[in-house]
Amino acid sequence: MKVKRIAVTGLVAAAVVAGGTALPSPASADTVPYASPYGYWPVLKQGQVSENVRALQWFLSCDGYDQPAPSHYGPKTTANVRAFQQRYLTSFDGNVGALTWTALLTHAAPTGYGQKNHCVKALQVLLNKWRYNDDLPITGYHGPRTKKKLVRFQSEHGLPATGVPDVRTYHRLILGK
């Protein structure tokens, strides 16, 4: 009986190593809300509506995934997130948790001063979420107004006030109020 159990265990292990499906896969690939070194991230899923969803949609568009940005996490957003995850992560389910956020902000976030793109639109959406007295128009241009608001945000949150967002800045923007 012991030999049989060892043989079955060995076969299951071999199937897993070979990429087989002997064991059920987890129900969700990225509902993990925590990733070192940044900490907790909000988890986004189909059906949600928020400014974080809208920013996510602009980031996806910036990385080449044709995506409207209506702030509603629908089937198209789920499909685009899944495609992004297949490209950059080892597991994919269409949900956005800590792993997807960090990959997205590492691969699709060029928002330096003077740039004009969908990633800057995501930055502007996230800055407006903080409701300073002067909401930015969502133009996609990282000009003087966007830089000024970003420097203010970074200064008020103990971040390097460079006027260029890094993953730490995005993390704080996304956590929001």
Side-chain angles (χ1 to χ4, degrees), residues 75-138:
K76 181 146 186 157
T77 302
T78 301
N80 284 338
V81 168
R82 189 174 285 123
F84 176 86
Q85 290 170 330
Q86 287 175 332
R87 185 171 166 195
Y88 293 109
L89 301 172
T90 57
S91 58
F92 43 90
D93 64 357
N95 296 324
V96 178
L99 302 174
T100 303
W101 276 121
T102 54
L104 188 64
L105 296 171
T106 302
H107 295 288
T111 53
Y113 187 76
Q115 292 186 339
K116 184 172 178 138
N117 58 43
H118 292 306
C119 287
V120 177
K121 289 180 182 180
L123 172 64
Q124 291 167 332
V125 166
L126 292 170
L127 284 167
N128 284 344
K129 201 170 84 164
W130 286 84
R131 297 294 174 229
Y132 293 115
N133 292 333
D134 59 337
D135 276 358
L136 294 166
I138 310 302

Side-chain angles (χ1 to χ4, degrees), residues 1-11:
M1 190 58 134
K2 199 176 209 179
V3 173
K4 186 176 180 182
R5 192 176 316 154
I6 291 170
V8 170
T9 304
L11 289 173

